[in-house]
Amino acid sequence: SQKIEQNSEALNIQEGKTATLTCNYTNYSPAYLQWYRQDPGRGPVFLLLIRENEKEKRKERLKVTFDTTLKQSLFHITASQPADSATYLCALPYGGATNKLIFGTGTLLAVQP
Amino acid sequence: ETGVTQSPTHLIKTRGQQVTLRCSSQSGHNTVSWYQQALGQGPQFIFQYYREEENGRGNFPPRFSGLQFPNYSSELNVNALELDDSALYLCASSLGSYSGVNTGELFFGEGSRLTVL
């Protein structure tokens, strides 16, 4: 079955630096991959979706890459701000293009002022 | 504001009891998915409802059941509660059950925090 691995340790960075979060999966290559942000006690909020035929996607200060050979996605936040501090979740579909998702455990990002 | 509302926000039950959690999907969305999120973990897929029919189920026992109503709102029922059922239960709505219909993104509610004593 598909498994997702995200950095289990918190990532601490200085304001203004670029944060890079990693998502690795172990089995079949998914039709797409999604990233969500979750604040404490809140539901996840969708950030970006990247499809299997896309290498890179950008949205404002966010950039996602998708390497199906390495079975890895990288999520970058440039010019990070304290307001970016949250848990970031990577998610893949169970199979095909369904939106029934498998989530990673998430990486906690802390941006220090 | 996602438009997905869940109730109750918090509740406490004892082992063996039953619980019903409710979700109103975002306007125009016909698909509701339920997820369980234990502390420090990512959300785990319980099941999905599409146009009032169950449309896929994760690795959860039959005591987890659900319903979707004609207005696309949904309920999650859990019978014979166990201590390990303590978690944040998240409802997510979407238009369709495949990413080809839309971007594939899910719109989550804020969750119902269940504590089982």
Side-chain angles (χ1 to χ4, degrees):
Chain A
S1 62
Q2 185 74 281
K3 284 198 170 110
I4 302 175
E5 294 167 358
Q6 294 188 252
N7 316 47
S8 55
E9 291 184 12
L11 179 63
N12 291 286
I13 64 166
Q14 244 1 77
E15 182 175 7
K17 300 290 187 188
T18 296
T20 299
L21 285 65
T22 305
C23 173
N24 295 298
Y25 57 93
T26 60
N27 204 338
Y28 56 85
S29 273
Y32 65 84
L33 186 148
Q34 297 185 14
W35 285 88
Y36 287 79
R37 169 185 172 140
Q38 187 173 27
D39 291 287
R42 310 290 298 270
V45 175
F46 172 81
L47 296 174
L48 279 168
L49 178 151
I50 185 165
R51 297 189 188 277
E52 60 182 334
N53 60 349
E54 298 174 315
K55 295 289 184 193
E56 181 180 298
K57 203 126 181 216
R58 291 175 186 260
K59 180 182 172 183
E60 297 170 356
R61 294 185 296 110
L62 308 180
K63 183 178 88 170
V64 172
T65 62
F66 194 5
D67 188 326
T68 55
T69 302
L70 292 178
K71 297 189 176 182
Q72 181 180 80
S73 174
L74 297 178
F75 177 80
H76 308 271
I77 306 176
T78 57
S80 59
Q81 304 164 1
D84 295 326
S85 298
T87 294
Y88 291 86
L89 297 160
C90 165
L92 309 177
Y94 265 87
T98 175
N99 62 7
K100 306 175 191 66
L101 299 179
I102 305 168
F103 282 85
T105 54
T107 299
L108 177 62
L109 172 67
V111 182
Q112 310 297 331
Chain B
E1 192 66 43
T2 66
V4 178
T5 57
Q6 292 187 242
S7 63
T9 54
H10 295 82
L11 68 167
I12 300 173
K13 293 283 187 179
T14 55
R15 261 189 326 177
Q17 285 189 311
Q18 178 264 343
V19 69
T20 297
L21 308 178
R22 294 179 176 83
C23 171
S24 292
S25 58
Q26 181 157 313
S27 177
H29 284 182
N30 56 16
T31 304
V32 171
S33 304
W34 286 91
Y35 288 81
Q36 180 197 65
Q37 187 174 25
L39 210 56
Q41 301 297 313
Q44 281 198 51
F45 175 70
I46 303 174
F47 43 56
Q48 183 182 84
Y49 279 84
Y50 173 62
R51 293 184 174 177
E52 302 179 59
E53 298 286 331
E54 187 179 291
N55 183 42
R57 187 179 185 93
N59 190 25
F60 281 82
R63 60 189 185 84
F64 285 78
S65 63
L67 278 175
Q68 188 177 32
F69 300 100
N71 66 354
Y72 302 132
S73 66
S74 178
E75 283 183 358
L76 164 65
N77 298 289
V78 187
N79 293 321
L81 283 167
E82 301 177 358
L83 296 179
D84 284 349
D85 295 334
S86 295
L88 180 67
Y89 287 85
L90 294 162
C91 167
S93 79
S94 57
L95 179 61
S97 61
Y98 285 87
S99 68
V101 176
N102 52 46
T103 61
E105 67 181 280
L106 299 180
F107 295 82
F108 282 89
E110 301 293 25
S112 293
R113 171 75 60 190
L114 171 64
T115 301
V116 182
L117 303 176

